[in-house]
Amino acid sequence: MVRIALTGGIASGKSLVSDELARLGAIIIDSDVLARQVVEPGTAALTEIVTRFGDDVLLSDGSLDRARLGEVVFQDNDARADLNAIIHPRVRSEARRREGEAPTGGVVVHVIPLLVETGQQSTFDAVLVVDVPEDLQLRRLMDRNGLTPEQAEARVAAQASRNDRLATADWIIDNSGEPEQTRRLVEELWHGPIDSLHRDTLTS
């Protein structure tokens, strides 16, 4: 099995890249998807979040109000650390379980936005970073999430710097162009370096 970590800043285009990798045959384990699942109503994680942050972070149907919680944690480093301590261990446990169910000899891509922040980069065979200039990242984030410039900047500042992410990269996908251009870059990576790594792993 080849284990690849896919990371990038918020609104950099990780979903576009992971969707293309899935189309090409990769098994995708997305930490953002898992993070939503582990806080569904009735879970222990949601109970812990309410105990820490109060009922204000719940919607009327009892589910997590992610927007409200985001307003809290992106303004308070201690609050963000407390939230991460609740969610991250559960996400990692579920990711390990899903990887264990993956077919032998496959290419497993773990999408981990906070890869660098959590120090996991050395545990993978390769790290793929989706990269865009920060000004473009901010514009896309504001357009996507309806944020003010100040809110967008706070979310970007809460993550590792662009330089820190790039320093961990074995491969970089530039997603500053049109989506079709990014898809071509991903396909070239899949049929080139990823295929070589896969073959090397199978024969080692």
Side-chain angles (χ1 to χ4, degrees):
M1 179 182 296
V2 172
R3 302 175 67 252
I4 297 170
L6 189 162
T7 193
I10 188 170
S12 61
K14 297 181 295 296
S15 294
L16 173 63
V17 172
S18 65
D19 287 349
E20 181 64 11
L21 287 169
R23 186 188 71 78
L24 292 165
I27 299 156
I28 305 297
I29 301 175
D30 192 325
S31 292
D32 271 351
V33 173
L34 299 183
R36 289 178 174 85
Q37 293 175 351
V38 300
V39 297
E40 289 177 348
T43 60
L46 184 58
T47 299
E48 289 184 30
I49 289 171
V50 172
T51 298
R52 168 62 178 84
F53 296 98
D55 291 335
D56 287 347
V57 299
L58 292 179
L59 295 169
S60 59
D61 64 358
S63 62
L64 183 63
D65 186 340
R66 297 175 65 84
R68 172 59 185 150
L69 184 59
E71 290 175 4
V72 175
V73 301
F74 283 110
Q75 297 177 27
D76 184 330
N77 290 339
D78 290 337
R80 189 164 64 253
D82 290 344
L83 178 64
N84 289 342
I86 294 170
I87 293 179
H88 286 178
R90 291 175 167 91
V91 169
R92 291 187 191 184
S93 176
E94 180 62 14
R96 287 193 296 270
R97 186 189 70 79
R98 294 195 181 196
E99 183 181 285
E101 295 177 346
T104 302
V107 176
V108 178
V109 176
H110 288 259
V111 184
I112 308 177
L114 301 182
L115 179 77
V116 177
E117 294 85 339
T118 54
Q120 299 179 69
Q121 58 268 31
S122 63
T123 65
F124 292 89
D125 297 314
V127 173
L128 169 58
V129 173
V130 184
D131 182 55
V132 294
E134 189 170 303
D135 60 341
L136 178 57
Q137 179 187 14
L138 288 167
R139 289 201 304 275
R140 289 178 175 175
L141 180 56
M142 288 186 286
D143 290 344
R144 188 188 74 182
N145 291 28
L147 302 178
T148 66
E150 293 76 18
Q151 290 172 324
E153 288 170 2
R155 281 158 173 73
V156 170
Q159 296 188 330
S161 71
R162 182 186 183 193
N163 287 339
D164 286 345
R165 276 192 301 272
L166 292 174
T168 71
D170 295 287
W171 309 311
I172 299 168
I173 292 290
D174 177 2
N175 187 37
S176 58
E178 294 299 320
E180 192 52 44
Q181 179 182 359
T182 298
R183 293 188 184 98
R184 284 197 298 271
L185 292 173
V186 174
E187 188 162 4
E188 290 170 5
L189 180 68
W190 178 263
H191 292 298
I194 291 178
D195 183 59
S196 295
L197 178 61
H198 191 204
R199 285 188 278 105
D200 288 347
T201 301
L202 289 175
T203 57
S204 62

